[in-house]
Amino acid sequence: MAAYAKNLNTAEIAYGAIDEAEKVQLLGEIRSNPNKDVRSADLSVFCGNAQDAEGLLLQSGHIFRAIMLNITLFRWDRALELATKHKMHVDTVLGYRQRYLEEFEKKETHPKFLQYASEVEVDWDTINERITAEYEREKNK
């Protein structure tokens, strides 16, 4: 209840009392984020409301974070939709999707992913540089 009410200190104490160390650590990470919008979105995900989290991120202009949220939640179609709509990080979505499929020894069958895979090069050095740049840009705002 404390997490839903955005009372992070009380939520940390409550989770600590029931030996939920991972949740205490996650709440600490959420609380330490200096960006109010990202903090609110992270708390929404923590409380199980990914749709609200995505909305908060998109409204506040954190497109990259919204794309990464969908990747993290394996909502591949939505991640690709956001990436193509905003013309950013299409290669990031494709790269993470490829890694995911390789992990489970599967081949790509989704038509949209096949189409973009033939058009966009996945270069992990470039992807990692751009991800780092996105987080640095966010930190400097």
Side-chain angles (χ1 to χ4, degrees), residues 79-107:
L80 185 61
E81 178 185 337
L82 289 173
T84 55
K85 177 181 178 182
H86 295 280
K87 296 178 175 47
M88 61 186 299
H89 291 284
V90 174
D91 59 338
T92 304
V93 176
L94 294 174
Y96 277 104
R97 170 87 171 181
Q98 286 173 359
R99 278 188 178 174
Y100 171 79
L101 292 172
E102 287 169 6
E103 181 78 23
F104 293 99
E105 299 177 358
K106 301 279 185 188
K107 292 205 182 286

Side-chain angles (χ1 to χ4, degrees), residues 27-133:
L27 285 170
E29 290 172 14
I30 291 170
R31 191 164 32 98
S32 69
N33 192 315
N35 187 303
K36 183 183 81 129
D37 297 320
V38 173
R39 200 170 47 241
S40 293
D42 287 345
L43 188 56
S44 289
V45 172
F46 181 83
C47 292
N49 198 339
Q51 203 66 31
D52 280 356
E54 181 187 294
L56 287 166
L57 291 170
L58 292 173
Q59 261 184 337
S60 61
H62 291 90
I63 309 303
F64 168 71
R65 284 269 190 168
I67 292 168
M68 290 306 293
L69 170 67
N70 283 292
I71 289 171
T72 303
L73 297 175
F74 308 109
R75 293 167 43 175
W76 301 110
D77 289 332
R78 182 63 178 155
L80 185 61
E81 178 185 337
L82 289 173
T84 55
K85 177 181 178 182
H86 295 280
K87 296 178 175 47
M88 61 186 299
H89 291 284
V90 174
D91 59 338
T92 304
V93 176
L94 294 174
Y96 277 104
R97 170 87 171 181
Q98 286 173 359
R99 278 188 178 174
Y100 171 79
L101 292 172
E102 287 169 6
E103 181 78 23
F104 293 99
E105 299 177 358
K106 301 279 185 188
K107 292 205 182 286
E108 185 61 73
T109 58
H110 193 290
K112 275 191 177 176
F113 282 92
L114 289 169
Q115 173 194 343
Y116 284 105
S118 68
E119 298 171 6
V120 177
E121 179 186 353
V122 174
D123 175 18
W124 277 103
D125 290 334
T126 304
I127 291 170
N128 287 327
E129 285 174 16
R130 288 194 7 257
I131 288 173
T132 301

